[in-house]
Amino acid sequence: MSMIMNHDITSLMGQRIMMRNSLAMKRSLEKLSTGLRTKIADLDNTAGLAISETMRSRIFGMEKALYNTQDGISLIQTASGALEQTNSMLMRMRELSVQAANDVLTQQDRSYIQVEINEIRDEITRLANTTQFNRKKILSGDNAVLWSSTSKEVKAIVNGGIRSIDQFGQKYAVDGNYKLKIRAEAGQAEVQKSDILKIRQAGNDSSNKSVIVSKSVNTAEGLKDVKVDSMPDGSYSVNLGGGSSPDPLLHGSYGIGGISTESTVTTSFNTTNSPVNKITVSTDDGIEIWSTSGANIFRTDTADSTAQTEYFNSVLNEIKHNAAYKGIKVNGNDITSLTISKPGTEAVGLKISYEGGGAGNAPTSTIDSTVTDFASVEDMVTVDSGDALSVNASILFEVKKVDSITGTVTLSAKANILSKNGANSTANIDDIMLTDGQVFNLGDAFDNAVTVSLSDFDHVYEGGKFAVAVTAKNVDRPLGFNIFSQNFGYAGVSTYALEYDSVPENEINFSNYFIDSKSGEVTNGTITLVTGPELRNAADKLLTVDYIPMTSFTVTNQARTAEGNTKIRDIDKFWNSEGVYLVQQPQELTLTQGDGTQAKVTIYGNDTLDDVVKKLNTAVAVGLGQAKYVDDASKFVTFTEGGTLGTNAVAGTIVFRSALTGSKGQISISGNEELLNALSLNTIQEARESTYNVDVVDAHDNSVIAQNVNITGNRLIGVVHKNVDVEFDSMMGLQATWNESIGGYSIQSTTGNNGSDVVLHLADNTMIFQTGAGEGEDVMLAIGDMSSNALGLDRINVMSREKASYSIDIIDKAIDRVSMQQAKLGAAQNRLEHHLGNLSKETESLIEANSRIRDTDYASEILEFTKMQILMQANTAMLAQSNQLQTQTILSVLRQ
């Protein structure tokens, strides 16, 4: 056994072994502390470390992909929830359309339904534009395709994405620019027409029996309006004159008086320039002829007596055939002819021919009479007014009694009085008893200035009537109103003098007595001028002009076609069967266009037809926005007074014209049902969609994608791409021009065969969910535009039964599209959920594999660690023993 001091080989060996055990124990301790079997410092397992790091990178990516997939599912659930609400709203819209298709509803009921449909439609669009996930709008179509076009009249309707997968599994997007050449062929716009609007027949409205037509009003001179009450038929005009007073004007109902002869028929004509209303012929054979009709008997000094003879003959012929008059009999038999002739300058002959009576049917007989005596109202009664008269008046006289024995005539008088300050009053005077040549003063009511006298007793008969107009004389600065009238053959003028400073600035009422020359009926008619302060200023102009026209108008009390300035209260259809005026309160009408656009107008009870037409025209032009399509925006709604507005014109009708072709241009009106029935609009020209011919080429290389595609309507479906429709403005390439000859808008192409060139740019914006750890491990999701316009709901119109029924089909298609999108979202969600499960399992497996490489096996490692601890303790003890043994051995040798 060697004994070496400087190099203790045994100790060195023990140290080496101890160092090795210490390193092993350190590694074991590190594995136990970190739980990892491999790390960068482990040079004994570098391959495992590399494998582990590769696995770890994928594990981290897959774990994030799990989150991405879950986020994608959340986005889909958000979109699905919004579409569920859209579907619910579509179901409600369909329910309303079914309800509106039932004809138990009124037009007003349908308008209420249309309002709710419009609100639903707006909410569907709002939902599409505002539904978001992480600030991304997911139902507007923007997360499928981004688009732009060179024309505001062309837009894309996105139904899905344009990214595709080729046969090799490569994803690509159909981005690019597409040139569209669009050629338009005009369709047809709807035209509607009302029933013929007629003026109400007199007597239907007890408050006013007269209707004004053909009215003109001089507003520049201070006249705001003119109204009438109980005026007879005729034409009238009111002038502002100087106030000079003409002689009193008499007009009466005197006619042929009752005459008796012994053997031959000799009749005398009591005549005037006014109409005849009574014929009496008596003979001792009992022949009697009675009539309450006649017209314009002529005088021997009349310039055109021949023409008057012909006119009188025609009137007499009317008497014979018109059952409205008393029957004219000769010996109980109808006359066969009744003629008047003028054999000479002094006499007029009346010839009556009749069939002989009795069973034998005697031959035709004639009675001839010669008229040589003429007498006028002025010849019988004279009315005079003095210079002291301070009031204006229209006075009606009636013969109450004729006493041939005493030679007296008893009259009564009643008057409409207009004071010089514009105040109205009335007066009645009974028992005016006159003898030939006697003058009777009418008394205080007329300032004792109006007198009446009798000058011809023989030609006055009971029941005779005549009227006289008298004018105020003592008026400072008189302002004269001259009322000219032409009615029933009577032409006359009533002059009213009012005091300049007292003329009312509100209303002036002029009341006149008129006598119907056919029936003898007396009318107390009133003309009311609605004035303004400018009226007084007009008086200064009378210093240089003779008169100033203020108004002219025609009054009718018969059923006749209305005119534009006829007030709607004077039109028969604006009154119901119970005599109630339909516009007693303002009535609101709603105009609904086929695309859902609405406009409202308010009709007032005092409106004229022209007012109503103007309001409706403005509603179409401005409210519905059709003015931009036409060259003349004043012809959408017109009233036809004559056949001058083309083939659509029928006098007395309101014509509604649209300038938009097809269903989008159809106009429906809702409001009070009775008011709508008054208009009774019916379609006389059906709407027809425009047609388009479209070419589509690639804007970059001019390769043809589609050519000569013919479409009806304004949507090109799936040609550019199966998920992209192209919608045109319904009037693209078209212009509506007013055509006087057809009385409507002529719609023609503005581009002809050249068409319109539009470039449409599409860019893919499909949403991509990164659902894996590596490149290309993704899922695409494209959600189309779910707005009302994209779904076709802009065409929903339920304002008629037919349109409501058609709307049901449109809504069904929208429901199908939303349901299809929901199905796609549901399928995508299922796919992601399956992928989520697969991804979780794959991640778990990879983590497990990585764990086997990287993680510490605590059971074996603790055993190893314990072994190392024991060895370390043994190494320490052995090293100590070796050192001690070596030292003691050497020292023993030294001691020896």
Side-chain angles (χ1 to χ4, degrees):
M1 175 178 179
S2 61
M3 296 180 188
I4 299 172
M5 287 291 297
N6 290 331
H7 294 86
D8 191 344
I9 300 304
T10 304
S11 177
L12 289 176
M13 182 184 66
Q15 292 179 35
R16 176 179 61 79
I17 294 172
M18 184 177 179
M19 184 180 299
R20 186 185 65 188
N21 290 338
S22 177
L23 181 60
M25 187 176 69
K26 179 181 178 183
R27 288 182 177 176
S28 180
L29 181 61
E30 186 175 20
K31 291 177 182 179
L32 290 172
S33 298
T34 62
L36 298 176
R37 295 178 58 192
T38 60
K39 63 185 187 66
I40 294 176
D42 288 335
L43 300 179
D44 57 343
N45 194 17
T46 55
L49 179 61
I51 294 171
S52 174
E53 289 302 314
T54 301
M55 288 184 174
R56 286 180 66 205
S57 67
R58 184 163 181 81
I59 288 169
F60 290 155
M62 294 173 70
E63 287 176 343
K64 185 53 65 178
L66 284 170
Y67 289 117
N68 290 350
T69 303
Q70 290 170 336
D71 289 342
I73 292 173
S74 297
L75 183 146
I76 291 173
Q77 288 174 336
T78 301
S80 295
L83 290 181
E84 183 179 349
Q85 294 305 313
T86 299
N87 236 338
S88 296
M89 288 186 281
L90 288 173
M91 295 297 182
R92 175 57 179 166
M93 190 180 288
R94 190 183 192 281
E95 178 184 347
L96 291 171
S97 297
V98 172
Q99 181 182 3
N102 192 1
D103 259 342
V104 302
L105 299 181
T106 65
Q107 194 73 350
Q108 188 66 37
D109 294 334
R110 289 193 175 99
S111 71
Y112 299 145
I113 294 175
Q114 184 69 49
V115 168
E116 183 176 351
I117 285 177
N118 292 346
E119 291 297 322
I120 293 174
R121 183 165 50 199
D122 291 344
E123 178 59 20
I124 289 174
T125 297
R126 189 202 67 79
L127 193 64
N129 292 332
T130 59
T131 300
Q132 299 182 28
F133 184 86
N134 193 29
R135 300 176 65 184
K136 291 174 68 73
K137 295 180 179 180
I138 56 178
L139 294 181
S140 64
D142 291 346
N143 284 297
V145 177
L146 297 176
W147 65 270
S148 61
S149 74
T150 57
S151 172
K152 64 180 181 180
E153 296 179 319
V154 176
K155 59 183 177 181
I157 303 297
V158 178
N159 300 319
I162 57 176
R163 177 171 292 207
S164 301
I165 301 176
D166 64 15
Q167 58 181 330
F168 304 107
Q170 300 298 314
K171 302 180 180 68
Y172 65 96
V174 190
D175 295 351
N177 296 319
Y178 303 89
K179 184 185 294 184
L180 286 73
K181 182 178 286 293
I182 304 169
R183 293 174 289 273
E185 182 177 339
Q188 190 167 268
E190 181 183 62
V191 179
Q192 301 177 77
K193 184 166 61 179
S194 73
D195 278 351
I196 296 175
L197 303 177
K198 293 184 178 180
I199 294 172
R200 300 183 71 223
Q201 193 167 359
N204 290 345
D205 178 11
S206 59
S207 65
N208 186 357
K209 298 181 180 180
S210 304
V211 176
I212 288 181
V213 296
S214 303
K215 178 175 65 175
S216 66
V217 176
N218 189 350
T219 56
E221 302 296 350
L223 185 62
K224 296 180 179 179
D225 195 9
V226 60
K227 299 182 290 186
V228 299
D229 187 2
S230 301
M231 293 286 290
D233 283 4
S235 299
Y236 300 85
S237 61
V238 180
N239 296 333
L240 188 63
S244 60
S245 174
D247 291 334
L249 175 69
L250 283 76
H251 58 284
S253 62
Y254 279 96
I256 302 172
I259 308 297
S260 251
T261 63
E262 291 297 326
S263 58
T264 62
V265 178
T266 302
T267 61
S268 296
F269 286 72
N270 301 329
T271 66
T272 176
N273 286 334
S274 62
V276 175
N277 83 324
K278 186 173 183 180
I279 300 175
T280 303
V281 179
S282 298
T283 70
D284 22 2
D285 293 331
I287 300 174
E288 293 184 348
I289 301 176
W290 294 88
S291 174
T292 57
S293 178
N296 288 346
I297 186 69
F298 63 88
R299 299 170 64 112
T300 56
D301 57 354
T302 301
D304 189 10
S305 59
T306 301
Q308 294 196 38
T309 298
E310 293 174 355
Y311 178 65
F312 188 60
N313 287 340
S314 67
V315 172
L316 293 177
N317 191 54
E318 178 187 1
I319 294 172
K320 183 182 70 171
H321 295 289
N322 195 330
Y325 303 117
K326 293 180 180 179
I328 300 176
K329 303 287 185 180
V330 178
N331 288 339
N333 296 288
D334 293 334
I335 63 172
T336 58
S337 65
L338 177 61
T339 59
I340 186 170
S341 61
K342 187 170 185 287
T345 58
E346 299 296 332
V348 173
L350 177 64
K351 182 177 182 179
I352 305 169
S353 300
Y354 65 97
E355 294 291 340
N361 290 322
T364 299
S365 302
T366 61
I367 300 175
D368 292 316
S369 66
T370 301
V371 179
T372 58
D373 182 21
F374 288 87
S376 65
V377 174
E378 290 92 333
D379 295 330
M380 295 181 291
V381 179
T382 301
V383 179
D384 194 10
S385 60
D387 292 336
L389 184 63
S390 63
V391 295
N392 308 278
S394 175
I395 310 171
L396 174 69
F397 294 94
E398 183 175 359
V399 179
K400 294 295 186 182
K401 183 178 180 182
V402 177
D403 192 335
S404 58
I405 297 176
T406 61
T408 61
V409 175
T410 303
L411 307 176
S412 66
K414 51 185 177 180
N416 296 312
I417 300 174
L418 180 64
S419 300
K420 61 185 179 180
N421 64 356
N424 294 95
S425 60
T426 59
N428 292 290
I429 303 173
D430 295 322
D431 299 328
I432 303 172
M433 186 173 291
L434 302 176
T435 59
D436 221 354
Q438 178 185 6
V439 176
F440 187 92
N441 192 305
L442 296 186
D444 294 340
F446 303 98
D447 300 328
N448 293 309
V450 177
T451 60
V452 60
S453 60
L454 178 66
S455 57
D456 190 344
F457 175 83
D458 291 337
H459 294 145
V460 179
Y461 59 85
E462 291 182 8
K465 306 180 188 71
F466 61 94
V468 61
V470 294
T471 308
K473 304 293 180 63
N474 58 342
V475 180
D476 295 333
R477 300 187 67 192
L479 200 58
F481 293 87
N482 299 321
I483 299 176
F484 292 87
S485 63
Q486 177 67 52
N487 63 304
F488 296 123
Y490 158 68
V493 57
S494 299
T495 300
Y496 293 85
L498 301 182
E499 198 167 57
Y500 174 82
D501 294 330
S502 301
V503 174
E505 294 181 3
N506 185 12
E507 291 187 351
I508 308 174
N509 298 302
F510 302 101
S511 296
N512 287 275
Y513 285 105
F514 299 89
I515 300 175
D516 189 327
S517 61
K518 289 186 177 181
S519 66
E521 179 184 355
V522 175
T523 300
N524 185 7
T526 300
I527 299 173
T528 300
L529 301 184
V530 182
T531 65
E534 300 86 357
L535 181 65
R536 291 179 181 173
N537 299 333
D540 296 333
K541 298 182 180 180
L542 295 175
L543 299 175
T544 57
V545 298
D546 293 334
Y547 67 93
I548 300 174
M550 299 303 291
T551 180
S552 62
F553 54 90
T554 299
V555 172
T556 179
N557 295 279
Q558 307 301 319
R560 54 171 287 183
T561 302
E563 298 179 4
N565 56 16
T566 305
K567 291 188 176 181
I568 59 175
R569 73 162 45 252
D570 296 325
I571 297 175
D572 53 4
K573 284 185 172 293
F574 288 87
W575 296 75
N576 65 19
S577 58
E578 288 76 32
V580 177
Y581 181 41
L582 302 179
V583 199
Q584 289 186 7
Q585 299 297 324
Q587 297 290 335
E588 185 176 78
L589 297 178
T590 301
L591 280 67
T592 303
Q593 197 165 255
D595 60 2
T597 307
Q598 289 188 328
K600 296 181 183 295
V601 298
T602 302
I603 308 300
Y604 295 93
N606 208 37
D607 283 345
T608 64
L609 274 176
D610 285 339
D611 295 332
V612 173
V613 166
K614 184 177 180 180
K615 292 177 183 179
L616 292 171
N617 190 83
T618 302
V620 177
V622 180
L624 301 182
Q626 292 200 21
K628 62 184 179 183
Y629 299 111
V630 300
D631 61 338
D632 185 349
S634 66
K635 302 294 178 62
F636 290 111
V637 183
T638 60
F639 176 74
T640 308
E641 292 190 6
T644 59
L645 291 178
T647 56
N648 292 332
V650 174
T653 61
I654 297 176
V655 181
F656 281 78
R657 304 174 181 88
S658 177
L660 274 68
T661 62
S663 60
K664 285 193 174 183
Q666 291 178 315
I667 299 174
S668 303
I669 304 179
S670 59
N672 179 279
E673 189 75 7
E674 288 185 312
L675 188 57
L676 296 178
N677 290 338
L679 294 174
S680 299
L681 290 178
N682 60 91
T683 301
I684 59 174
Q685 179 173 292
E686 296 288 347
R688 188 179 70 242
E689 301 290 346
S690 297
T691 59
Y692 292 88
N693 181 275
V694 185
D695 297 337
V696 182
V697 300
D698 190 296
H700 298 294
D701 59 15
N702 289 324
S703 60
V704 176
I705 297 173
Q707 196 169 23
N708 291 326
V709 179
N710 292 308
I711 59 173
T712 300
N714 60 335
R715 186 174 287 195
L716 183 67
I717 300 176
V719 174
V720 174
H721 188 277
K722 64 179 181 180
N723 287 334
V724 177
D725 299 340
V726 181
E727 186 176 73
F728 320 130
D729 186 285
S730 59
M731 289 293 288
M732 183 177 180
L734 301 174
Q735 175 69 39
T737 305
W738 177 254
N739 187 323
E740 194 72 29
S741 63
I742 66 173
Y745 289 110
S746 177
I747 303 175
Q748 297 176 335
S749 172
T750 58
T751 58
N753 293 330
N754 294 327
S756 302
D757 289 331
V758 178
V759 176
L760 179 68
H761 173 71
L762 300 178
D764 178 66
N765 197 36
T766 302
M767 288 185 291
I768 306 296
F769 300 148
Q770 183 66 34
T771 57
E775 180 184 3
E777 298 180 17
D778 53 37
V779 173
M780 296 186 301
L781 180 65
I783 305 176
D785 188 352
M786 293 291 112
S787 65
S788 294
N789 182 61
L791 295 174
L793 301 178
D794 55 322
R795 295 177 291 156
I796 299 300
N797 186 335
V798 297
M799 296 307 297
S800 70
R801 198 206 69 79
E802 294 77 11
K803 292 174 183 176
S805 181
Y806 176 65
S807 295
I808 297 172
D809 183 60
I810 297 175
I811 297 171
D812 283 341
K813 292 179 180 178
I815 292 173
D816 288 343
R817 183 174 165 193
V818 172
S819 299
M820 179 62 71
Q821 186 65 71
Q822 284 182 297
K824 290 180 179 179
L825 289 176
Q829 181 175 342
N830 287 339
R831 178 181 177 184
L832 290 180
E833 287 177 349
H834 288 303
H835 177 70
L836 186 65
N838 179 66
L839 190 61
S840 298
K841 184 62 178 177
E842 183 181 349
T843 303
E844 178 186 342
S845 299
L846 192 58
I847 290 174
E848 183 180 2
N850 184 49
S851 176
R852 285 194 295 270
I853 298 172
R854 191 177 184 85
D855 292 344
T856 300
D857 184 350
Y858 273 85
S860 61
E861 202 59 46
I862 288 176
L863 180 61
E864 182 68 19
F865 181 73
T866 302
K867 181 181 75 172
M868 290 300 106
Q869 282 184 315
I870 294 172
L871 289 176
M872 282 295 293
Q873 291 175 2
N875 287 341
T876 302
M878 291 303 104
L879 185 59
Q881 289 294 327
S882 175
N883 290 338
Q884 183 178 8
L885 179 61
Q886 183 72 7
T887 302
Q888 290 176 352
T889 302
I890 293 174
L891 289 176
S892 296
V893 171
L894 291 176
R895 281 197 300 266
Q896 292 179 1

